[in-house]
Structures are given as structure tokens and as C-alpha cells.
Amino acid sequence: MNSKLVNNLLKFDREHICHPYTSMKDPLPVYPVASANGVRIRLMDGRELIDGMSSWWAAIHGYNHPELNRAAREQIEAMSHVMFGGLTHRPAVELAEILLSIAPAPLQKIFFCDSGSVAVEVAIKMAIQYWSALGFAKKQRLLTVRSGYHGDTFGAMAVCDPETGMHGIFKDILPKHLFAEMPMAGYAAQWDERYIEGFKKILAENHESIAAIILEPIVQGAGGMRFYSPIYLKRIRELADEFNVLLILDEIATGFGRTGTMFACEHAGIEPDIMCIGKALTGGYMSLAATLATEKVSDGISSGEAGAFMHGPTFMANPLACSIALASVRLLLSSPWKEKISAIEDQLKEGLAPCAEHHNVQDVRVLGAIGVVELKSPVNMEKIQKKFVDRGIWLRPFGRLLYTMPPYIIEKEDLARITGAITEVLREGGHV
Ligand SMILES: Cc1ncc(COP(=O)(O)O)c(C=O)c1O
């Protein structure tokens, strides 16, 4: 690729294009990508990087997958999009059928939307509209925990961790919800009922104004990559029933096998009233998400004055995205995904174990195909990113977290290169 073209691209990008959470005045460097195939991302200068991020939990089958490509091509030949008001189509119906067959059994209604954040907005609106329809107009607030992340739109932002979710900047416009302390029991911790006391107290005191509890099940992702006890989640389900509030689970990051079960709520053996999915839904090909609900919730909503759920995006159930998602879910179900994720888990545990010895490491943890090295001090993103790129690895550390969630198709040797690079970069230092 000619270097003048690359430089021009980078110059325009730097001067005009926003990147996620990046200064527009003094942006961090970005690496121009020419193509991606399997677990390899090829940069425009010809270098190849092993992907340790699955493009933020999404590309579970790797890039440029022939079956997903075929689904996209065939669907484009038929139709890329038609409106969903008054029309329906096979990709949406078949995708809905397969999703409802793998989701927790009581979830039998599905709302397709554009992105994870919108799926969360839809979930919140469903919960509030449900109670309003039943005559509980006061039930409008949400209860959640600190260190959570649910997206960047206003409704979603209002249930993100108050600090990392920037509640200070938007304080006059964000709805005021309730926050309990973050779950303190780690995944395998011995259960102590005191872990849930604070949460229970807030719920007991405020349940008359609470429509729903919203949580990321088992793994708190962007808010700190923390794994918490399935018993905590089980107790939350019980408390939601006891105090008559709905339970919304945000499986946008954890869904489709990432934690070792199809959905993370299965670790706790519980079922939500409303569930959000996204990210890996299309195998990382395009943006599509969905909010699933029980009959109880959907019947409640439809019995209200409005008579219908009040939401309807232009690109709802986009046929192209639905076809690719259908191919992606079928591909997952036809693969030995459980064994593969369990093998990745074992290898991550072994490969990252030496990091625990490092003086700047607070904790090393692994769950399913997620490996996390939590440092004691924040990394310098630019420096550390370059160190990984120089070693042929694509990772995107943030704050005090070095983490990987590779595509499920990754081979042993490539995963060893990722864990090896993390260990080496830590040992080498100069990244904080
Ligand atoms: C748990 C969770 N919920 C919601 C979202 C928002 O999804 P999107 O970025 O597709 O809007 C994310 C994205 O990182 C997420 O991890």
C-alpha cells in the first residue's frame, strides 16, 4: 500500500474523525487496517496482528468467515432492507425462532434494534411501560450496582457507574437512579449473606418507586472487568420477586458463550424478565441487538392505555443484519463451542498465571474466554498499545486493565502468543 495514501488517510482521520473516548484535539495514534481474516488483522503497512479483542466481544468466529460472507451476499441479492412496520421477512422470523430457542425459556417475545445501547433503552422503557400499564405509575426508577456499564445513550448512561459513566457532566439531564455497592463476592467466593445486605436495604426502602433492577450478569465488563458470584445473582432474582420489581439482564457482552455458558445467567440458574443481547449476535459483522421479554411483560405492556410498546427504529430487524446473525448463531450452535471455550479458559489460566508474580499486578482472573490482568496503576495507552503492536498482537488495554477476549476459533499457538506478549510487556515495564 503506498505510504502517501496511508499518510493522507491518517491525516484526515486525525483532523476530522472521532474515535471512541479519544481527544479530538490531541488524539492517540490509530492503526490503519487493510483487511482482517480469521484471527489476523492486517495493517495497511503489511504487518499482521493476532486479534485478542474480538472487536470488543463481537467477532467470535474470526473475521471474513465464508459462511457469514455467504449469508451477507445472498441476503443483499434478495434485499438489504425493508421497513419493519407492516412488513416482515424470513431472516427476522428465523433469527427470532433460533434466539428464543436458546434464550432462557420464559423469554418468548423479541424486539430487534440497532445497537446494544438501544437494546438497553428498550429494556428500560419496557419495564417502565409495564408498570405504568398495570397502574403503578410511580415505578419509574432503576436499581443497579456500581462499576456497571450498559452503553452510552442517556437512558443507558444513567445506569452506568456514576463516575466512569460521567454522571457529573450530565447530572442535570440524567434520570436519577439507585446504586448499590458493586458486588463484592468474586466468582468463586464463599457466600456470605452480608454481601447482599446493602442491595437489599435499598430495594426494601424504595421498591415502590423501582420498575426494575438492571445488571450485567456475572461479568461487569467495561466498568472494570470484574467477575462476581453466581449466588449474588441468584439472590438478586429472589429479591426482585420478593419486592415485585422486574429483573433486566444485560447479556450484550456476556451472551453467546463468552463466559462458558450460552448466557451468563445460566451460571446462577436464573431467568430474567427482560434480557438484552448484541455484540456477538452478528459474529461482529454489523450492528444488531435485541431485547427479549417474557409474555408477562409484553402482555402487561399491551394491556395499557397505549396498547403497544412505544418504540420503532427505522432499521428495526434489518434483513441483512438478521441473515448474518442467523448464520452466526447457527455456526456457533453447530460448533463444539463449550469445549473450545473451556480449552481457551484453561490456556488463559496457565498462560496468564506468571503475571500474578509481578509487583504491579493486583489480580489475575479468567472466566470462559475472558482473561484479565488488573494492575495497581493505570497504563499509558499509547505506549502499551505500541508495545503489543510491535509484537504482532492486537489488545486494547484501558485504565488498570490488560485483558483479552479472543475469537473462539483462535489456535493454541496464537493464544500462547497473546498471553506471552502480556507477560513479556509487563516484565519489560515502561508502560505505565
Ligand atoms: C454490557 C454492555 N451493555 C451495553 C453495551 C452497549 O453496546 P453498544 O456499544 O453496541 O451500544 C455494551 C458495550 O460495550 C456492553 O458491554
Side-chain angles (χ1 to χ4, degrees):
M1 187 62 65
N2 110 28
S3 62
K4 192 158 170 244
L5 170 69
V6 176
N7 288 340
N8 286 345
L9 287 178
L10 283 175
K11 183 171 181 299
F12 194 90
D13 187 297
R14 192 175 171 81
E15 287 171 2
H16 298 283
I17 306 182
C18 295
H19 284 264
Y21 295 97
T22 300
S23 164
M24 289 174 72
K25 221 166 133 198
D26 183 22
L28 294 173
V30 288
Y31 296 87
V33 177
S35 61
N37 198 32
V39 299
R40 295 268 187 307
I41 296 173
R42 198 157 68 81
L43 299 182
M44 287 178 88
D45 63 11
R47 285 184 292 173
E48 277 197 344
L49 310 179
I50 299 170
D51 177 31
M53 295 300 291
S54 302
S55 283
W56 280 332
W57 315 83
I60 53 175
H61 308 297
Y63 301 93
N64 204 9
H65 195 288
E67 289 192 33
L68 303 193
N69 290 359
R70 183 154 52 86
R73 265 197 308 272
E74 285 178 7
Q75 188 55 47
I76 285 179
E77 294 298 325
M79 62 177 160
S80 292
H81 184 64
V82 287
M83 62 188 280
F84 212 49
L87 299 172
T88 193
H89 42 77
R90 212 167 116 173
V93 175
E94 291 187 356
L95 177 60
E97 271 185 316
I98 202 165
L99 290 173
L100 296 178
S101 76
I102 59 172
L107 301 170
Q108 283 307 314
K109 301 284 178 178
I110 186 160
F111 187 102
F112 288 113
C113 47
D114 326 53
S115 71
S117 300
V118 176
V120 170
E121 300 287 333
V122 165
I124 294 173
K125 282 176 71 172
M126 278 182 177
I128 293 173
Q129 214 188 312
Y130 169 77
W131 289 113
S132 156
L134 263 57
F136 294 85
K138 263 175 46 194
K139 276 171 128 15
Q140 300 225 336
R141 288 202 290 178
L142 281 297
L143 169 59
T144 185
V145 290
R146 288 184 177 256
S147 289
Y149 178 77
H150 297 281
D152 289 347
T153 51
F154 276 89
M157 198 164 46
V159 286
C160 291
D161 181 86
E163 273 166 44
T164 52
M166 307 292 151
H167 291 198
I169 302 175
F170 303 105
K171 71 176 182 318
D172 294 331
I173 188 152
L174 282 182
K176 305 268 179 293
H177 295 308
L178 297 158
F179 290 84
E181 64 177 352
M182 62 188 175
M184 294 313 290
Y187 183 81
Q190 176 80 26
W191 182 250
D192 184 328
E193 196 58 16
R194 277 178 300 184
Y195 286 132
I196 200 85
E197 261 170 19
F199 192 98
K200 186 175 176 182
K201 186 165 184 286
I202 298 178
L203 187 55
E205 285 169 3
N206 298 279
H207 63 97
E208 282 175 5
S209 66
I210 296 175
I213 294 165
I214 180 166
L215 291 178
E216 294 157 276
I218 306 296
V219 176
Q220 293 190 290
M225 301 298 288
R226 305 175 74 254
F227 310 149
Y228 66 84
S229 164
I231 304 175
Y232 184 90
L233 192 55
K234 201 166 172 317
R235 291 290 293 119
I236 297 272
R237 174 71 271 182
E238 288 162 6
L239 290 172
D241 292 338
E242 183 183 336
F243 288 100
N244 212 20
V245 303
L246 297 176
L247 177 61
I248 302 172
L249 291 184
D250 176 349
E251 293 261 11
I252 288 164
T254 48
F256 302 103
R258 180 57 68 179
T259 67
T261 53
M262 183 56 80
F263 296 102
C265 59
E266 293 167 32
H267 289 267
I270 60 135
E271 291 151 347
D273 301 294
I274 300 175
M275 183 169 104
C276 305
I277 54 174
K279 290 192 182 275
L281 173 57
T282 61
Y285 264 52
M286 39 203 310
S287 185
L288 179 73
T291 307
L292 285 65
T294 60
E295 299 254 3
K296 177 184 101 169
V297 170
S298 75
D299 285 357
I301 290 172
S302 302
S303 70
E305 198 186 313
F309 178 55
M310 287 295 136
H311 205 104
T314 305
F315 287 98
M316 186 169 186
N318 171 257
L320 188 51
C322 286
S323 284
I324 298 169
L326 181 61
S328 174
V329 179
R330 283 182 177 153
L331 196 58
L332 181 67
L333 295 179
S334 65
S335 72
W337 61 271
K338 269 196 168 209
E339 290 75 18
K340 186 70 207 175
I341 290 160
S342 166
I344 293 175
E345 179 172 37
D346 290 344
Q347 199 185 336
L348 283 173
K349 280 183 179 156
E350 196 185 321
L352 294 177
C355 299
E357 310 297 319
H358 193 273
H359 62 90
N360 190 29
V361 169
Q362 178 81 33
D363 188 34
V364 177
R365 48 188 180 265
V366 173
L367 183 68
I370 313 168
V372 183
V373 179
E374 183 178 340
L375 305 182
K376 291 180 183 159
S377 45
V379 295
N380 176 312
M381 173 98 90
E382 182 175 351
K383 280 191 197 163
I384 200 163
Q385 184 112 71
K386 182 169 181 314
K387 281 172 182 284
F388 284 119
V389 169
D390 289 347
R391 285 171 168 82
I393 303 294
W394 181 246
L395 291 176
R396 183 79 175 159
F398 74 91
R400 295 188 293 109
L401 298 169
L402 278 178
Y403 66 105
T404 180
M405 53 260 196
Y408 302 163
I409 57 154
I410 196 161
E411 300 285 347
K412 250 178 158 324
E413 304 73 51
D414 286 339
L415 188 54
R417 282 192 54 196
I418 293 177
T419 54
I422 294 176
T423 318
E424 238 178 77
V425 164
L426 264 180
R427 200 177 300 135
E428 188 181 277
H431 53 269
V432 287

